[in-house]
Amino acid sequence: MKHKATPWWLSGPALLLFVALLVVPLALTAVLSFNVYDPATGPKAGEFTLEHYAQVFTDSYYHGIFWRTFWISGLVTLICVLVGAPEAYVLSRMRNPWRSVLLLVVLAPLLVSVVVRAFGWSMLLGPEGAVNGLLRLAGIGPVKMLYTETAVIVALVHVMLPFMVIPVWTSLQKLDAGVENAALSLKASHFTTLRRIVLPQVMPGILSGSLIVFGLAASSFAIPGLLGGRRLKMVATVVYDEYLHELNWPLGAAVALVLLVANLIVMLSYNRLVEGRYKKALG
């Protein structure tokens, strides 16, 4: 009996921490989202309503914000896959010290605060920034990039790229280079080798990296808030506005929970789709 209880005793502190820091705040947020809101007095504890969820699901304003959030997150994830997977492949084939140097370059953005990076991109993409300066030299003229979806996408790709490179690189470390060389020795082309040998092996890394990037991009606040401005809103900035500007905490909690559930649905569907194709490719 004591033997069976040992795993529970060992995992108990982590489970308590998980419940205290994640489950309890989520439960309190869920309860808050159903509270009646009075503009004069604020949320009314003990009085519940579905009005906030009805507003989120029926108002076209929130439909547009959720659509913008998810298509930007999807595009950022796609760009990170197209850039990060080849970058990880090159990284895995390099020798030291160049591998260490490139790995440091990939991880360097993680050492800088997201807010600092957002301000850096605002300086680069601003009307008098370096990018517009180069465009003027090329005779193209100034282009409005700051406070646009383009600025948000560029900055999010820069922030999220390491979260794609590292999982793919980790998967490539488990790949035996002899298998790749054997395929090449049997007259398979480099493209066929990448498609039939390398890609199925690194698909778990691409899957995990995609889920991380999509989840972080969909819930990001600093980049959309600083580079999107007041007019280009995403869901996280709407939640912030409802909590701190409008003081409508129940509506902000409802929007946050809808984002969480929608995020989970998209990520689980994507996970099932990619895993199914991965198993089919291996089978």
Side-chain angles (χ1 to χ4, degrees):
M1 189 73 179
K2 185 178 179 181
H3 220 40
K4 293 181 179 180
T6 301
W8 291 102
W9 283 109
L10 292 175
S11 59
L15 289 173
L16 288 175
L17 190 64
F18 175 80
V19 171
L21 297 183
L22 183 64
V23 177
V24 172
L26 277 177
L28 293 175
T29 303
V31 173
L32 176 62
S33 68
F34 291 103
N35 284 155
V36 172
Y37 174 73
D38 186 347
T41 60
K44 293 184 176 181
E47 297 185 27
F48 302 100
T49 180
L50 294 174
E51 178 186 353
H52 310 299
Y53 287 98
Q55 184 175 347
V56 172
F57 285 112
T58 59
D59 194 334
S60 60
Y61 171 74
Y62 294 103
H63 295 169
I65 290 173
F66 272 93
W67 167 247
R68 180 186 298 123
T69 299
F70 284 116
W71 85 257
I72 286 179
S73 302
L75 182 58
V76 168
T77 303
L78 178 61
I79 295 174
C80 286
V81 170
L82 295 178
V83 176
E87 185 176 350
Y89 182 77
V90 172
L91 180 65
S92 68
R93 293 296 180 265
M94 296 181 73
R95 299 179 180 273
N96 284 324
W98 297 111
R99 177 188 294 177
S100 301
V101 172
L102 185 58
L103 186 60
L104 180 62
V105 171
V106 171
L107 296 178
L110 299 179
L111 305 177
V112 183
S113 168
V114 177
V115 177
V116 174
R117 281 179 280 176
F119 275 117
W121 277 110
S122 67
M123 295 174 65
L124 287 172
L125 301 177
E128 304 299 327
V131 175
N132 268 316
L134 293 174
L135 292 176
R136 287 192 189 93
L137 291 176
I140 299 175
V143 177
K144 179 177 173 56
M145 289 176 285
L146 195 60
Y147 306 131
T148 64
E149 293 172 346
T150 301
V152 174
I153 292 170
V154 169
L156 282 176
V157 169
H158 174 244
V159 171
M160 302 301 171
L161 192 59
F163 297 104
M164 176 60 68
V165 173
I166 299 305
V168 177
W169 180 66
T170 304
S171 296
L172 285 167
Q173 299 307 298
K174 303 175 184 178
L175 179 63
D176 187 1
V179 178
E180 196 175 345
N181 293 331
L184 293 172
S185 67
L186 294 173
K187 306 301 182 181
S189 65
H190 286 281
F191 177 76
T192 301
T193 303
L194 288 173
R195 183 172 61 87
R196 300 290 298 275
I197 303 297
V198 177
L199 185 59
Q201 299 295 325
V202 302
M203 191 56 70
I206 293 176
L207 173 60
S208 59
S210 300
L211 295 177
I212 293 171
V213 170
F214 184 88
L216 292 176
S219 59
S220 61
F221 168 74
I223 296 296
L226 294 174
L227 295 179
R230 300 299 304 166
R231 295 184 178 179
L232 185 66
K233 291 185 180 296
M234 292 177 66
V235 176
T237 56
V238 170
V239 174
Y240 176 85
D241 288 342
E242 293 296 339
Y243 266 92
L244 295 183
H245 291 168
E246 304 296 330
L247 300 180
N248 192 343
W249 293 6
L251 180 57
V255 174
L257 287 176
V258 171
L259 172 64
L260 174 62
V261 173
N263 221 347
L264 287 174
I265 292 173
V266 172
M267 293 170 69
L268 290 174
S269 302
Y270 176 77
N271 179 53
R272 186 171 182 178
L273 175 65
V274 175
E275 272 196 347
R277 292 189 176 183
Y278 169 68
K279 291 177 180 179
K280 185 177 179 181
L282 289 181

